[in-house]
Amino acid sequence: VLLGWIFLGRKPSKSDIPGHILIFIALAIVVAGHDGGLANPAIWLVGFSGFAIAVTSFLAEIHPESNKAAGVKGRARFTGIVLMVTAFVFFMMTMIIPLLSAKFPQLLENEVYAYLTHTMPTLQDYLDPKLWMAGAVVGALMRGPVMYFSFLAIRLLKTDNYLMFITIMPFVILAMETLTGVTGIMDTSGISVWDIIASVLMVFGAMMIVLTRARTARIRAAHRGRPVE
């Protein structure tokens, strides 16, 4: 919402306020449910992840190459370029972080940085044929299509509406975690009733904003005497 307001002039309306209140209540519940609250590194990492998704969606909407991409072939080519650049950046990060750790060992005193360093793949890992095969399968069947349809949805819905629609993801993830928990693959004991309540509030708040905006757009279009696409 802030990015759209600042850079695209999409000023939020008063009708958005109730939905945003519900979303902030849900965020407060999530933060309160973690040890340390805002001092918990996981909260900041999730916040940074959300910010990165918002910026990525915003850039995809305004980027001239994305706007010029027409048809399946053009959008697939743009998606492939983005994925290739992303993969290269991640690869470079795995090379740079160990160098930073050796140059500035005091960085390892940070819990998050230390965990990141210890779980970082090595150059030897990249040479493993099984990694290449798994990457090809995941990229072709999951990551590629997800990115393709994400860019298409952003183009059709615009960034703020797209991000509000994907707030339904907590329920999709919850269903997958429940399935893996039943099969014993994953421990789901950490999921509480409050987590589910927060998810419901967040989705409901986002849907309120989307629906009120759609209603406002229909009313304005009716006043102008033309239908809404």
Side-chain angles (χ1 to χ4, degrees):
V1 172
L2 288 175
L3 288 172
W5 186 6
I6 294 171
F7 295 102
L8 299 177
R10 296 176 188 158
K11 186 178 179 180
S13 64
K14 293 181 179 179
S15 60
D16 293 345
I17 294 177
H20 285 300
I21 290 175
L22 288 180
I23 292 173
F24 278 112
I25 291 174
L27 289 173
I29 293 174
V30 172
V31 171
H34 286 75
D35 295 337
L38 287 175
N40 191 318
I43 299 296
W44 291 97
L45 288 174
V46 171
F48 177 76
S49 175
F51 175 75
I53 292 173
V55 172
T56 301
S57 304
F58 175 73
L59 292 176
E61 179 182 343
I62 67 172
H63 198 283
E65 291 300 323
S66 176
N67 292 323
K68 287 192 300 183
V72 175
K73 184 177 180 180
R75 289 192 292 268
R77 181 170 56 250
F78 176 76
T79 302
I81 292 172
V82 172
L83 289 173
M84 183 177 66
V85 172
T86 303
F88 177 75
V89 171
F90 271 99
F91 174 75
M92 292 304 299
M93 288 291 292
T94 61
M95 299 294 105
I96 293 173
I97 287 181
L99 295 177
L100 288 174
S101 301
K103 184 71 174 178
F104 306 102
Q106 62 270 25
L107 290 174
L108 295 173
E109 297 176 5
N110 181 277
E111 181 182 357
V112 175
Y113 185 86
Y115 177 81
L116 182 65
T117 302
H118 294 151
T119 56
M120 189 72 65
T122 64
L123 183 59
Q124 189 64 33
D125 293 328
Y126 286 115
L127 299 178
D128 187 349
K130 291 183 290 186
L131 178 65
W132 285 87
M133 288 187 289
V137 171
V138 172
L141 300 181
M142 298 179 64
R143 186 59 180 162
V146 166
M147 186 68 77
Y148 174 88
F149 287 112
S150 294
F151 287 152
L152 179 60
I154 291 168
R155 187 170 183 173
L156 295 175
L157 299 175
K158 304 307 179 185
T159 298
D160 39 3
N161 289 328
Y162 165 75
L163 292 175
M164 290 171 195
F165 269 116
I166 65 172
T167 55
I168 199 172
M169 284 301 295
F171 291 106
V172 177
I173 296 172
L174 179 62
M176 295 179 65
E177 289 181 344
T178 302
L179 180 62
T180 55
V182 171
T183 56
I185 298 175
M186 185 177 180
D187 180 17
T188 58
S189 59
I191 301 175
S192 68
V193 175
W194 286 107
D195 293 327
I196 299 175
I197 292 174
S199 299
V200 171
L201 288 175
M202 197 170 296
V203 172
F204 189 65
M207 290 300 104
M208 280 182 61
I209 296 173
V210 172
L211 293 175
T212 53
R213 287 184 178 185
R215 180 175 177 274
T216 301
R218 290 193 193 94
I219 293 174
R220 289 176 178 174
H223 288 167
R224 289 194 295 264
R226 62 180 180 82
V228 178
E229 295 181 0

